[in-house]
Amino acid sequence: MAGHSSELVSFQLSRLQSDEDGPRIGRLIFQGRDPIDTPHYVAISSRGAVPHLSQDMMRENTSIRALYTAVEDFIEKASLHSQVPPVFNCPTSADESPLRKFIALQKDALLILGTRRIPPLPCPASSTASSISIITSLGVGMLECTDYAEAVQKLRPDIVLGMGDVLFGHKPSVKRKDVMGDRTLAWLKELISAMEDEDDGTPRTALFAPILPIEAEQQSYYVGALQDELRDSVSGLVLYDSASVGAIPENMRGLPRLYLGDATSPHRLLDAMALDMDVFTVSFITEATDAGIALDFSFPALSDANTVGQLPLGIDMWSSAFAHNVSPLLGNCQCYTCTNHHRAFVQHLLNAKEMLGWVLLQLHNHHIVDEFFAGARDSIHGGSFEGERLMFEKTYTAELPAKTGQGPRLRGYQFRSEGKGGPRKNPIAFRPLDDGKEKLAEAALPSSDVDAENLGLQEFAEKLELCNTCSFTVTTQIFLAVCSNRKIFQSIPANVCIVPLNGHLVNGGYIFFVPFVGSFVGSNMTSTTPTKWLKAIQSLIYIQQIFAPLNIPSSLSFISCSHKNLTLKLLDTLNMKIILSLSVLAGLRLASARIGDLTYFSAGLGSCGITSTGNDAVVALSLPMMANGDNPNTNFMCGSQISIRNPTTGQTAEATVVDTCQACALNDIDASESLFSTLAGGLGAGRVPVEWGENILRD
Amino acid sequence: MSTSSKSPALEFEIIAKCSTTKARASILTLPHGPVLLPMFMPVATQASLKGLTPKQLARTGCNLCLNNTYHLGLKPGQDVLEKLGGAHVLQGWNGNILTDSGGFQMVSLLKLAKVTEEGVRFLSPHDGTPMLLTPEHSISLQNTIGSDIIMQLDDVIATTSPDAERMREAMERSIRWLDRCIAAHKKPATQNLFCIIQGGLDLGMRKVCCEEMARRDTPGIAIGGLSGGEDKVSYCQVVNACTNWLPQNKPRYVMGVGYPEDLLVSVALGADMFDCVWPTRTARFGNAIVPTGNLNLRHASFANDFATIEADCKCPCCRPEEDGGLGITRAYIHHVAAKETAGAHLLTMHNVHYLLSLMGRVRAAIVEDRYPEFLRAYFSKAYGGDMTRVPTWAVTALREVGVDLLNWR
C-alpha cells in the first residue's frame, strides 16, 4: 500500500482552531523543503520564472520559498501537435522533479503546480465534463483531466492543486453551480487514483483540494465526499473566495489553506488573513512592478502623527522628481535594490526602458510583501492583529497608485490586450520616418491594368512560394497585406474587401485580402464563396497570430508559405501599390452594403471575449457572418468596425463587432442599447431595417 | 622598445608576447582597478547591461564595460549626471567604464546629422531643434560621466565610402578635433583620453593618422572607423598595418568588434581591447554563442534538448547545480525565449561570459606562448575539424602573422 501523500506535509497551527474565525499562524512543513511560516505568500511564476527575475536573481536576492507554476505554461506544444510536452522529457535522477529541474528552481523551495496562470487570462470556451479551457502561448486549448493527472505524475511537483471547475471573471449560473461540485469531485478522484498508481509507492506530491467559490449548500455533496472519502488523500485546501471558508468541513479545518482569490491590495490580503487563510498568491506584486511602482507599506503601519490624509501604497518611480535622488527606494529597506541602488538609477532605467529597472523593482516589491507577511505573523502572535488591521486600513489608501509611465516591453502571449479594439498597453515604439511618408505620397499607384506578373518582374514584391504541406489549412494563393496608413485606403477601388483590425494582431493596422482563384490544400476548397472565404481568412489570422509576438512594427507585411515553414517578409511601404493593383485584378466584391434588421441586446461579455456595456457602440453579428472557429475570441471579425445607416431617418453610426448573435438572420445586427437608441431614436421601435457595411473607411 | 607606459590615470604593462604572432598579454591599470588584456568589453549602453545587475555583470568576469555618451547625454542628461557625481554612482558599478564620444551614434542613429569643422550638427531627437556636438562638448559630457577611459570626438564616415577626398578630410579633421579634445579635457588625472585612428581603408592615410596621433601621446589608442561594412580582408589589413605603426607600449582598442573569430584574428594582429553590442543583442533574440558557432535556441529542434547551453561552460547558467550554477538547459531557454525577459537575462549572462572567458583563454595561451596552437584548436573545433572551411580572410590574415591554419608546421 502506498503511503498517503498527506504524510509529506505537516501543518502545525500555533493554537488549536477554535470555533470563532480569526487569523491564525502556522508552519507548513514539506519534507525536504524549507518550512514556511504562515500566513505567507507563494511567488507566481510565468513559464517557470518569476517575471523579470532570472533564476540566479531569485535564489540570491529574494526570500521566495514557494513558487506557483501553471501547467498551461508548459504543454502548448503537446496540445497543438499531439506530442509529449518537452518538460516531461527533462532527464532527472529518480527522486527529482522534472519540472523543478527544467525551471531550475532551487531544492529548498516548495514547488506548487496548478492548472492555470495567476491571474488566468480570460478563456472564451467553458469547461466540459472532463476538461477545462486553458490558454497556452499557441492559443486556446482544452486541458483534459486525464492529461492533468499525467502531468502531475510526470512532473512531480511538491504540491498539486486539484483541478476545480471554476469560472474566472464572471459568476456561474445556478445550473452551472450544480455541476461544479460534481465535476470537481470526479476530477479529484481521477487525480488521486493516478497519483496512487505511482510505481514505487513513494508519494512525492501532496494534493490540495479546491473549495469552490459558491455557497456551502451548493457544494455540500462535494464537500461531504471530501471529508468522508478523500480526507486522507488531501493535504490542504485551495480557496478562490474567502467567503467560501464556511464550506470547509469540520475535520479539514486544520489543513493549510492556499488562497487564490482576489488579492488586489494588501488590505484584501489582511481581510483574507482575518478569515484564516494561510498561504496567498499576490498578483499585485508583478502588477506594481510592471507599472513602475515601488511598493511602500508595512504592517503594522508605522504611526506618524504628522501625516495628513492617507499614505499611498507605493511610489511611482517614473516621476522625474527622483532624477537626482540618491536615496534608496525606501529608507530602511534591506532589499537588494535599496541596499545597492538609488531612486535616481531606477527612475533612469524606467525612463530609458532598460529591463534592469523592472528587475530592481521586482526584487524590492517581493521584499516588501515578505516583510508585510512577517509583520502580520508577529501581529497575530502578539494578539494585536485586528487593531493593527484597522489602523492599516486607515493609514493607507485603498488602491495602489495609478500607473503613469509605460510598462516593460511586452513579450509574449500573456500580454495580449483585453479583447480586440482594446487600448494598446504601450504606444507604438517605431514609426516610419517622415521622408518615407513623402515618398509614399509622391509615388503614383500603378494603373489597374498592370498585371501581377509584370509587377513581380520589377521586383516590387517577392513572389509567394506555394505551400504543399502546411499542417493547418493555409491557402496557397491568397495575399494578405497589413497596412497602418489610413490614407492608402481612400484610394482603394471599391471592389476590395477591407477589414480593419484594431487589435493586437496587426498592430492597429488594417488587413485586406486579395483572393486569386481559391484552392485550399487542407480542406479541398476550390471555390471562393463568401463562407469559404471566411475560413480562408481565419487561417490567415491564425498565421498572423503566430507572428504576433514578433510585434512587427512595419507598415506592411506579406505572409507567404514555403514548403516546411512559414516565412514572414517585410517589404517597404511603397510596395503597397502592388497589392492595390493585384486586388484590382482579383475583382472581388465583398464589401457592398448589406440590408438587415437592427435589434438590441444588453451587452456584457461577448463571444469575442470583450466585455462591453450598454453605453458602448458595439454590435453582435449573425452566426454565419461571424463563422466562429474553435476559439471565437480570435475571430477576425472581432473588434472590426462597421458603419450602420438607418435609411428612414438618415441617421448613421459606427460600431465595433464584439459578439455573435444566435437568433439573427444573415444580415441582421444586434446592437447595444445606446447604439440602437442613436439609430432608431429610442428603444421603443425594437426592430428597424438598416443598411450597413464593413467598408467605413471609404465614406 | 619599452613594453610599458604610465599616465596619471593609467598604467600599461605588457607581460607576454606571442613569439609567432603579434599578440600581447598585458595589464591595464585604471582608476577602478586592473584589467587583463586582451579583453572584450560588453556594452551597457544606457548604464545597464541589458537586464543584468552590476553584480551579475561582475560575476561574468567583467571589470570594464562601455557606456554610450550619446545615450547618457539624452537620459539621464548631463545635469543629472553632474548632480549624482557621474555614471559609476548612477549605476552602482565599481568597475571601470569606457565611454565613446557620441559621434558614432550621431551618424548612425540620426538622420540629417551633418559634420562641419565645428562639430556634428543634428536634430534633437526630443524636439527636432538643431543642436551641435563639438569636441569640447563631448569631452565635457564625458568628464561629467567620469568614465575611466574617454574617447575623442572623431569624424566617422563609412570605410566603404568611395569619396577619397571626404575620407582625407575626415582623417585630418579627426586629428584637429583630437587637439581640441586634449585642450578641453579637464580631468586628465582621473580619466584617460584615447585618440581614434581614422583614414578608412587607405593605408597611406592610416599611416599619417597613426604618426600624427601617436605624437600627441594619449594614454591609449583606438583604431576607429572599422566594422562598418568593409570586407574582412581590408579590415585585417588596416589593423595589421596600424599595429605596426603604433607605439608598442600603449593599449590598442579596435572599436565595434565582437564575433569570436574576429577577436581571435585581431588579437593575433596585435590589438588588445574590443567592444560590440552583438553578444548581448543576439542573446535577446534567443541566440547562444558556443564554440561551434551560434545556436538559435528559438528553433524547434531545441525544444527537447536538455543539454546545458554549452558543455563545460562555467557561466552561472550552464554550471550544474552541484557546482553552484543553475544548470539551465537549451530546452528551457527555448521555452522562455522571447516570452519572458528572464530568458534574455540568462542568455545575456552566458554570451557575455563566453566572450570574456574566451579572451581569458586567449590571454593564457599568449602567456604560455602557445597562441598559434590555440588558434588552430579553436578554428578546428568551430569548423568540425575541416580547416578548408575556415574563411579565407582569417586564413590570409593569420598567415600574415606567421600562423598557417592550412599547412600546420
Side-chain angles (χ1 to χ4, degrees):
Chain A
M1 174 65 199
H4 278 301
S5 64
S6 55
E7 290 161 14
L8 282 168
V9 184
S10 75
F11 185 56
Q12 303 160 352
L13 282 168
S14 71
R15 63 180 164 80
L16 284 176
Q17 181 68 14
S18 65
D19 279 347
E20 82 188 282
D21 282 334
R24 59 187 201 178
I25 46 179
R27 172 169 280 203
L28 180 64
I29 301 167
F30 191 97
Q31 274 179 28
R33 314 286 172 233
D34 278 354
I36 297 172
D37 288 324
T38 66
H40 215 312
Y41 76 104
V42 169
I44 302 169
S45 72
S46 172
R47 303 186 77 76
V50 174
H52 307 293
L53 301 184
S54 55
Q55 278 74 355
D56 56 323
M57 289 306 275
M58 179 174 127
R59 289 177 185 210
E60 288 157 32
N61 299 311
T62 74
S63 342
I64 291 169
R65 298 183 156 204
L67 188 72
Y68 176 86
T69 52
V71 130
E72 67 178 350
D73 272 353
F74 295 93
I75 58 169
E76 60 258 335
K77 294 280 185 319
S79 63
L80 263 104
H81 305 299
S82 54
Q83 296 167 350
V84 176
V87 62
F88 287 13
N89 302 328
C90 187
T92 57
S93 59
D95 54 350
E96 239 180 338
S97 149
L99 177 59
R100 178 184 297 272
K101 180 100 188 295
F102 188 63
I103 67 175
L105 179 66
Q106 66 266 36
K107 291 212 160 52
D108 50 13
L110 192 65
L111 176 59
I112 302 175
L113 182 71
T115 51
R116 303 220 49 207
R117 295 168 61 87
I118 297 177
L121 290 165
C123 236
S126 52
S127 40
T128 70
S130 66
S131 63
I132 60 166
S133 175
I134 57 170
I135 295 184
T136 73
S137 67
L138 296 182
V140 175
M142 299 305 286
L143 176 65
E144 290 288 333
C145 162
T146 48
D147 291 342
Y148 185 53
E150 189 196 352
V152 173
Q153 278 178 292
K154 288 266 166 43
L155 298 180
R156 291 186 267 164
D158 297 331
I159 290 174
V160 62
L161 311 187
M163 184 160 120
D165 185 23
V166 179
L167 291 172
F168 295 101
H170 52 107
K171 292 251 177 279
S173 63
V174 177
K175 263 191 171 170
R176 178 67 192 275
K177 283 180 184 172
D178 285 344
V179 298
M180 284 168 70
D182 298 347
R183 285 177 179 175
T184 304
L185 179 60
W187 297 344
L188 208 54
K189 285 182 173 168
E190 172 99 39
L191 188 57
I192 290 169
S193 85
M195 286 163 66
E196 280 172 358
D197 278 351
E198 281 179 74
D199 308 339
D200 56 4
T202 317
R204 297 188 190 87
T205 300
L207 173 68
F208 276 33
I211 298 292
L212 298 168
I214 51 179
E215 294 80 357
E217 56 270 26
Q218 274 161 321
Q219 53 181 323
S220 55
Y221 177 75
Y222 163 63
V223 169
L226 266 188
Q227 64 175 335
D228 299 337
E229 289 175 56
L230 308 178
R231 173 64 188 87
D232 288 345
S233 306
V234 173
S235 309
L237 301 171
V238 188
L239 286 96
Y240 300 86
D241 182 352
S242 49
S244 43
V245 72
I248 300 174
E250 194 61 41
N251 69 345
M252 298 181 116
R253 296 228 164 141
L255 293 180
R257 300 165 187 180
L258 171 62
Y259 181 61
L260 298 187
D262 171 44
T264 49
S265 69
H267 306 297
R268 299 292 77 75
L269 293 175
L270 294 171
D271 293 348
M273 270 179 230
L275 290 170
D276 276 0
M277 300 299 157
D278 301 306
V279 187
F280 301 76
T281 54
V282 187
S283 52
F284 71 74
I285 303 178
T286 298
E287 281 162 22
T289 299
D290 285 353
I293 286 163
L295 295 179
D296 177 11
F297 55 81
S298 55
F299 189 86
L302 298 172
S303 55
D304 180 356
N306 299 326
T307 314
V308 182
Q310 288 182 306
L311 297 173
L313 289 165
I315 307 165
D316 179 5
M317 290 311 302
W318 278 90
S319 167
S320 55
F322 302 130
H324 306 136
N325 190 327
V326 289
S327 46
L329 302 182
L330 298 186
N332 298 318
C333 181
Q334 292 303 306
C335 80
Y336 174 86
T337 306
C338 290
T339 49
N340 288 280
H341 296 288
H342 44 63
R343 293 182 179 195
F345 188 41
V346 174
Q347 197 268 346
H348 161 71
L349 292 170
L350 291 175
N351 206 23
K353 299 205 192 76
E354 279 288 342
M355 293 180 284
L356 182 58
W358 290 284
V359 172
L360 295 179
L361 281 173
Q362 188 75 314
L363 292 174
H364 170 81
N365 288 346
H366 276 86
H367 180 78
I368 292 294
V369 172
D370 241 352
E371 295 285 297
F372 171 81
F373 277 99
R377 289 193 298 273
D378 287 348
S379 167
I380 297 167
H381 188 72
S384 53
F385 179 80
E386 195 47 36
E388 279 163 351
R389 182 167 79 98
L390 292 173
M391 179 54 84
F392 188 90
E393 195 87 30
K394 242 169 51 190
T395 307
Y396 292 103
T397 52
E399 284 173 12
L400 290 166
K403 164 177 164 179
T404 60
Q406 292 174 21
R409 193 173 150 197
L410 303 177
R411 292 164 199 267
Y413 63 103
Q414 62 270 45
F415 292 113
R416 303 199 309 178
S417 53
E418 298 300 321
K420 300 184 184 89
R424 293 182 154 277
K425 295 205 169 175
N426 280 343
I428 300 170
F430 301 98
R431 292 187 175 282
L433 291 168
D434 281 349
D435 58 349
K437 273 186 193 157
E438 281 160 26
K439 272 188 221 155
L440 191 64
E442 286 160 16
L445 293 173
S447 62
S448 56
D449 54 5
V450 177
D451 73 39
E453 212 44 55
N454 281 344
L455 286 165
L457 289 173
Q458 287 165 33
E459 294 180 348
F460 278 121
E462 290 192 42
K463 265 189 152 179
L464 295 186
E465 282 182 68
L466 295 192
C467 165
N468 297 318
T469 53
C470 291
S471 58
F472 36 80
T473 50
V474 170
T475 159
T476 57
Q477 289 162 327
I478 281 186
F479 287 78
L480 163 69
V482 185
C483 174
S484 56
N485 187 338
R486 239 182 127 90
K487 260 191 167 173
I488 286 181
F489 287 92
Q490 287 162 1
S491 47
I492 293 180
N495 58 354
V496 180
C497 167
I498 303 173
V499 183
L501 272 181
N502 291 319
H504 60 286
L505 282 187
V506 288
N507 287 310
Y510 303 91
I511 206 165
F512 66 104
F513 307 98
V514 185
F516 280 66
V517 180
S519 135
F520 297 94
V521 175
S523 56
N524 290 328
M525 279 196 271
T526 49
S527 67
T528 51
T529 61
T531 33
K532 291 186 178 177
W533 244 88
L534 291 177
K535 291 269 178 218
I537 289 164
Q538 278 164 351
S539 307
L540 288 169
I541 298 293
Y542 184 62
I543 301 169
Q544 189 70 26
Q545 263 181 315
I546 295 174
F547 287 109
L550 298 176
N551 259 338
I552 304 301
S554 79
S555 51
L556 168 66
S557 55
F558 265 93
I559 281 177
S560 75
C561 177
S562 64
H563 183 65
K564 265 192 174 161
N565 57 342
L566 293 161
T567 53
L568 182 86
K569 289 174 182 147
L570 301 179
L571 298 175
D572 189 77
T573 314
L574 290 173
N575 288 316
M576 182 53 75
K577 55 191 178 183
I578 293 87
I579 316 294
L580 301 183
S581 181
L582 293 176
S583 59
V584 173
L585 292 173
L588 186 91
R589 180 175 291 275
L590 260 190
S592 53
R594 300 171 182 278
I595 297 170
D597 282 357
L598 187 76
T599 50
Y600 66 85
F601 71 112
S602 40
L605 178 65
S607 67
C608 294
I610 302 168
T611 305
S612 25
T613 73
N615 292 326
D616 298 330
V618 294
V619 294
L621 300 184
S622 66
L623 267 177
M625 191 66 73
M626 293 297 282
N628 284 316
D630 293 338
N631 177 7
N633 277 14
T634 56
N635 190 319
F636 78 95
M637 299 289 281
C638 289
S640 62
Q641 297 284 317
I642 63 168
S643 59
I644 312 170
R645 180 169 176 270
N646 182 341
T648 330
T649 61
Q651 182 70 39
T652 60
E654 292 184 11
T656 309
V657 177
V658 296
D659 203 352
T660 309
C661 170
Q662 310 281 335
C664 288
L666 177 67
N667 287 333
D668 289 354
I669 309 175
D670 217 2
S672 63
E673 287 151 341
S674 63
L675 179 65
F676 187 88
S677 290
T678 308
L679 285 161
L683 292 177
R687 179 178 288 267
V688 291
V690 290
E691 300 168 2
W692 63 279
E694 300 104 319
N695 55 341
I696 53 160
L697 295 165
R698 267 176 274 142
D699 52 13
Chain B
M1 190 187 279
S2 168
T3 56
S4 66
S5 67
K6 201 166 172 175
S7 316
L10 176 151
E11 274 181 49
F12 178 74
E13 188 187 354
I14 295 175
I15 58 160
K17 281 185 180 175
C18 174
S19 59
T20 311
T21 70
K22 296 200 278 174
R24 316 114 57 92
S26 55
I27 300 176
L28 175 68
T29 308
L30 293 167
H32 287 83
V35 179
L36 303 183
L37 304 186
M39 190 213 180
F40 172 79
M41 303 177 285
V43 184
T45 306
Q46 307 192 87
S48 146
L49 191 94
K50 299 302 165 195
L52 301 197
T53 63
K55 282 191 181 170
Q56 282 174 303
L57 175 57
R59 191 173 304 169
T60 64
C62 175
N63 62 349
L64 170 56
C65 72
L66 252 76
N67 284 179
N68 286 113
T69 298
Y70 167 80
H71 291 94
L72 292 189
L74 286 176
K75 290 171 184 177
Q78 188 163 14
D79 165 55
V80 169
L81 286 162
E82 182 85 56
K83 285 187 176 136
L84 295 181
H88 291 88
V89 178
L90 173 71
Q91 60 204 300
W93 170 247
N94 291 322
N96 294 291
I97 297 175
L98 181 152
T99 45
D100 64 352
S101 64
F104 182 71
Q105 272 79 20
M106 296 288 159
V107 182
S108 71
L109 293 182
L110 297 173
K111 289 221 147 189
L112 308 172
K114 202 172 166 217
V115 184
T116 65
E117 189 58 30
E118 258 180 302
V120 185
R121 285 192 172 280
F122 64 102
L123 300 180
S124 155
H126 281 318
D127 52 12
T129 52
M131 299 178 79
L132 180 68
L133 179 78
T134 62
E136 291 76 16
H137 183 212
S138 170
I139 295 300
S140 152
L141 251 175
Q142 296 187 71
N143 280 161
T144 307
I145 290 170
S147 35
D148 303 274
I149 297 175
I150 67 179
M151 304 303 299
Q152 74 155 114
L153 184 69
D154 53 347
D155 185 357
V156 193
I157 59 170
T159 46
T160 48
S161 166
D163 187 345
E165 228 12 73
R166 174 71 185 92
M167 189 66 81
R168 177 165 296 279
E169 184 192 25
M171 184 272 284
E172 288 171 349
R173 179 174 289 146
S174 294
I175 299 170
R176 292 193 293 275
W177 283 2
L178 174 61
D179 290 333
R180 285 168 62 185
C181 287
I182 292 170
H185 184 20
K186 296 238 165 46
K187 299 179 179 170
T190 52
Q191 294 182 284
N192 299 290
L193 175 63
F194 279 30
C195 62
I196 304 176
I197 308 290
Q198 289 292 348
L201 303 179
D202 182 320
L203 296 185
M205 274 195 242
R206 286 277 178 181
K207 185 158 196 280
V208 173
C209 196
C210 283
E211 286 165 358
E212 280 298 316
M213 287 190 170
R215 193 175 303 153
R216 268 83 175 165
D217 198 26
T218 53
I221 296 165
I223 301 173
L226 296 171
S227 292
E230 73 280 348
D231 62 286
K232 290 277 176 68
V233 174
S234 311
Y235 164 84
C236 292
Q237 277 168 357
V238 171
V239 174
N240 195 15
C242 287
T243 56
N244 284 342
W245 297 318
L246 291 173
Q248 286 291 313
N249 62 345
K250 295 277 169 81
R252 301 154 177 174
Y253 162 31
V254 181
M255 306 174 83
V257 173
Y259 295 135
E261 293 173 4
D262 299 12
L263 294 174
L264 296 190
V265 172
S266 304
V267 167
L269 299 178
D272 306 310
M273 301 163 71
F274 311 91
D275 79 287
C276 190
V277 295
W278 172 75
T280 42
R281 179 176 292 164
T282 205
R284 298 198 295 286
F285 299 151
N287 297 314
I289 311 174
V290 295
T292 46
N294 280 342
L295 302 178
N296 175 4
L297 296 179
R298 291 174 66 180
H299 192 273
S301 61
F302 293 105
N304 278 296
D305 186 339
F306 296 97
T308 50
I309 303 166
E310 181 204 339
D312 305 328
C313 173
K314 297 278 177 276
C315 86
C317 304
C318 295
R319 242 181 312 136
E321 185 135 28
E322 306 82 75
D323 229 343
L326 297 170
I328 296 282
T329 59
R330 296 170 176 187
Y332 184 67
I333 299 287
H334 175 81
H335 183 70
V336 284
K339 294 195 174 74
E340 274 303 328
T341 47
H345 303 340
L346 291 168
L347 267 188
T348 301
M349 258 187 285
H350 169 81
N351 283 358
V352 170
H353 182 275
Y354 181 88
L355 285 189
L356 286 162
S357 84
L358 172 66
M359 295 308 266
R361 284 181 285 138
V362 162
R363 190 172 192 277
I366 298 168
V367 171
E368 292 161 22
D369 202 12
R370 51 175 177 79
Y371 191 52
E373 290 81 0
F374 180 90
L375 286 168
R376 183 177 160 76
Y378 192 93
F379 279 100
S380 171
K381 186 161 188 189
Y383 292 96
D386 181 1
M387 286 299 196
T388 59
R389 286 173 51 216
V390 177
T392 318
W393 67 265
V395 173
T396 313
L398 290 176
R399 210 173 264 154
E400 288 287 313
V401 290
V403 177
D404 194 334
L405 291 179
L406 299 182
N407 303 302
W408 190 248
R409 308 271 185 210

